[in-house]
Amino acid sequence: MKAFEWIDRVKNARGIESDYAAAKALGVTKQAISTYRAKGSTLDENAAISVAKLLGIPPAGVVLDQAAERTKSPEIRATLLAEANRLCILC
């Protein structure tokens, strides 16, 4: 899942309307949120853990999902996503 999709999940779950408010809730800058949206970059581990905490889901799943987004290897990506799914993050 792309970083901005995780951010949108947090916004929906928490009733947050603006990216500014989402940035504050996640402990990142508004510029970071803009970068996630514009460049399709991934969440770093700290942001991934913040997302998980705000969603009430296991942090390992979000961290694994974002690692899968970063890797170039299809085999590694499949392995990481299978583990994230096992944790029922992307179910």
Side-chain angles (χ1 to χ4, degrees):
M1 185 179 300
K2 301 290 184 196
F4 72 86
E5 293 172 305
W6 283 113
I7 292 164
D8 288 345
R9 280 183 78 176
V10 167
K11 287 174 69 174
N12 289 335
R14 294 293 184 142
I16 297 171
E17 294 186 20
S18 71
D19 280 349
Y20 176 77
K24 286 191 86 93
L26 292 168
V28 300
T29 65
K30 169 67 172 83
Q31 291 79 14
I33 300 286
S34 295
T35 299
Y36 294 140
R37 290 196 184 285
K39 295 185 179 177
S41 60
T42 58
L43 300 168
D44 66 28
E45 287 77 12
N46 290 326
I49 290 170
S50 294
V51 163
K53 286 180 180 178
L54 288 169
L55 292 174
I57 59 178
V62 182
V63 171
L64 288 169
D65 174 69
Q66 291 301 280
E69 285 289 325
R70 283 189 288 275
T71 189
K72 304 284 189 244
S73 167
E75 184 177 354
I76 293 171
R77 179 177 290 114
T79 300
L80 292 169
L81 288 175
E83 220 24 54
N85 281 321
R86 189 184 67 76
L87 293 169
C88 205
I89 299 305
L90 305 173
C91 303

